[in-house]
């Protein structure tokens, strides 16, 4: 099954699936992520990357909102954790306790 799609929302979901597979494989599939993005750019010009980034941010926020609703913590706290980890060049803690 190919994961490629020219629609930004579907491409964002496919990219997330590829990132999940890469994480499970210990980073050995990073080449698949690069091939996916290169193919997307070739078929849709570089402007697709702007749309993809916006869609990824929207999907990420929706995920944080669902996590917040499930745990009772505000989504802003999870976003703060992500920003802090990014500023410190780390992976955010996977635990739910803040």
């Amino acid at each position: 099954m190919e994961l490629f799609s020219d629609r930004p929302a579907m491409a964002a979901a496919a990219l997330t699936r590829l990132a999940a597979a890469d994480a499970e494989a210990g980073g050995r599939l990073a080449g698949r992520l690069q091939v996916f993005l290169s193919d997307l750019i070739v078929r849709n010009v570089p402007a697709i990357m702007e749309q993809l980034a916006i869609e990824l941010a929207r999907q990420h926020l929706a995920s944080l909102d669902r996590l917040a609703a499930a745990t009772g913590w505000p989504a802003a706290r999870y976003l703060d954790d992500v920003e802090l980890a990014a500023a410190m060049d780390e992976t955010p803690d996977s635990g739910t306790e803040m």
Side-chain angles (χ1 to χ4, degrees), residues 82-96:
V82 169
E83 286 179 325
L84 182 59
M88 297 176 71
D89 201 23
E90 306 177 341
T91 302
D93 184 18
S94 60
T96 58

Side-chain angles (χ1 to χ4, degrees), residues 3 5 11-12 16 22 36 43 53 58 60 68 70 74 82 85 91-93 96-97:
L3 299 176
S5 175
T16 302
D22 181 60
F36 175 82
R43 290 183 295 116
R58 287 178 177 154
H60 185 71
V82 169
T91 302
D93 184 18
T96 58
E97 187 174 327

Side-chain angles (χ1 to χ4, degrees), residues 1-97:
M1 173 179 87
E2 287 296 320
L3 299 176
F4 300 116
S5 175
D6 296 334
R7 294 183 10 221
M10 290 300 298
L15 185 61
T16 302
R17 284 196 181 276
L18 286 171
D22 181 60
E24 288 178 7
R28 294 186 310 267
L29 303 177
R32 289 183 65 195
L33 293 164
Q34 293 169 333
V35 167
F36 175 82
L37 292 172
S38 294
D39 183 65
L40 197 62
I41 291 169
V42 166
R43 290 183 295 116
N44 296 285
V45 301
I48 189 77
M49 298 312 287
E50 293 170 1
Q51 296 170 341
L52 179 61
I54 290 166
E55 186 58 38
L56 282 168
R58 287 178 177 154
Q59 289 182 16
H60 185 71
L61 180 59
S63 295
L64 290 177
D65 284 341
R66 285 191 298 276
L67 178 62
T71 62
W73 285 93
R77 294 281 306 268
Y78 290 106
L79 184 55
D80 290 346
D81 186 42
V82 169
E83 286 179 325
L84 182 59
M88 297 176 71
D89 201 23
E90 306 177 341
T91 302
D93 184 18
S94 60
T96 58
E97 187 174 327

